[in-house]
Amino acid sequence: MIDQQVEARKAASTSAAMSATEDAQALALANAQVQESDYAALVPVMTPVLERELAHANSLGKVQEVQDQIESVRRIMEQNVEMMLDRQELLGSLEAKTSDLQEMAGIVRQKARRLRRWHLMNQVKWGVAIGTLVTASVAIPIAVIAAA
């Protein structure tokens, strides 16, 4: 029946004898003749097409969902890379501070060694001076007693 209607429409549109108003009337008449039974005949034909289009539309949503996930992962990776670079800068400054601290510790060690030697030499000087004084103070009276 649909084929008959299509042929009727073609015949109506290709007919050169009909005027434009007659074409419009014939087309309106052909469209009006489509009944509910014709719609029922269209259901098996249109169902796979509609399902395919619906699946395609749903797959576009899935594609968008996957793209959103990719964008989210990309943002997280960018944040991780920025944090790694910040940590690398902090580690570089920490390494510089560590080397400075090692140099200062070496200087403190050298100065502490010099200070210990200075104190030791002072003790030796004072020990020799006091020892000489005590020896002289004891030796002089003994020499005076021995000479008398």
Side-chain angles (χ1 to χ4, degrees):
M1 181 179 281
I2 294 174
D3 293 335
Q4 293 171 352
Q5 291 174 357
V6 169
E7 289 177 21
R9 287 182 189 161
K10 285 182 183 177
S13 65
T14 57
S15 173
M18 291 185 177
S19 67
T21 55
E22 290 176 348
D23 286 340
Q25 289 175 353
L27 185 61
L29 182 63
N31 287 335
Q33 291 176 351
V34 175
Q35 298 174 353
E36 287 186 28
S37 64
D38 294 336
Y39 288 124
L42 287 176
V43 168
V45 173
M46 292 302 291
T47 300
V49 173
L50 291 174
E51 287 176 354
R52 184 185 71 229
E53 291 299 318
L54 184 61
H56 179 68
N58 287 340
S59 71
L60 292 178
K62 290 179 182 177
V63 168
Q64 183 63 37
E65 187 177 316
V66 168
Q67 286 176 343
D68 291 343
Q69 289 176 349
I70 290 171
E71 183 65 25
S72 173
V73 169
R74 187 185 62 78
R75 275 190 247 115
I76 291 170
M77 291 302 293
E78 283 178 356
Q79 290 174 352
N80 288 345
V81 168
E82 287 180 24
M83 287 188 332
M84 285 175 36
L85 292 174
D86 291 342
R87 286 181 182 161
Q88 186 176 7
E89 289 175 8
L90 291 174
L91 287 174
S93 68
L94 186 61
E95 187 177 333
K97 288 178 184 178
T98 302
S99 65
D100 291 344
L101 192 57
Q102 283 178 339
E103 288 177 22
M104 292 298 182
I107 292 170
V108 167
R109 196 175 303 119
Q110 288 175 353
K111 288 186 178 186
R113 186 174 179 189
R114 281 188 213 151
L115 187 60
R116 274 194 307 263
R117 285 186 179 179
W118 183 81
H119 279 293
L120 183 61
M121 290 306 291
N122 256 354
Q123 287 177 350
V124 169
K125 286 180 201 175
W126 281 103
V128 168
I130 292 175
T132 303
L133 185 64
V134 168
T135 302
S137 63
V138 170
I140 294 176
I142 292 177
V144 170
I145 293 178

